[in-house]
């Protein structure tokens, strides 16, 4: 899982990250308050990270401690998806 979207995205869902993603790996559901990056299709290009207006996207190894639980939250969103 190269990149993870964290708490600042909640309620924002700006969409710039989705616009620049070359593999369309950023998804959401009607119930979700934020976007999620599909770890199975992300190619680790970092385009999304650079355009996020709320600085919610991190390389999984640099996610701030207070938002580390978003790594598993992201993984859980895609459980069962390929």
């Amino acid at each position: 899982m190269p990149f993870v979207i964290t708490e600042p995205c909640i309620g924002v869902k700006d969409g710039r990250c989705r616009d620049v993603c070359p593999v369309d790996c950023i998804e959401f559901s009607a119930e979700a308050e934020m976007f999620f990056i599909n770890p199975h299709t992300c190619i680790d290009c970092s385009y999304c990270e650079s355009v996020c207006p709320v600085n919610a996207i991190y390389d999984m190894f640099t996610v701030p401690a207070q938002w580390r639980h978003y790594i598993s939250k992201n993984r859980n969103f895609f459980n069962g998806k390929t």
Side-chain angles (χ1 to χ4, degrees), residues 43-65:
I43 59 171
D44 200 16
C45 69
S46 78
Y47 294 163
C48 59
E49 182 183 30
S50 64
V51 300
C52 180
V54 292
N55 297 316
I57 304 173
Y58 294 88
D59 175 285
M60 73 174 282
F61 299 108
T62 60
V63 173

Side-chain angles (χ1 to χ4, degrees), residues 7 14 23 26-27 34 37-38 47 64-65:
E7 186 172 296
D14 175 74
V23 294
I26 301 172
E27 300 180 26
M34 60 182 283
I37 296 175
N38 190 325
Y47 294 163

Side-chain angles (χ1 to χ4, degrees), residues 4 18 20 22 39 41 46 49-50 62 74 82:
V4 177
R18 296 186 78 215
V20 300
T41 56
S46 78
E49 182 183 30
S50 64
T62 60
N74 189 87
T82 56

Side-chain angles (χ1 to χ4, degrees), residues 56-73:
I57 304 173
Y58 294 88
D59 175 285
M60 73 174 282
F61 299 108
T62 60
V63 173
Q66 72 268 27
W67 296 327
R68 298 276 308 156
H69 64 282
Y70 281 88
I71 295 171
S72 60
K73 203 172 192 175

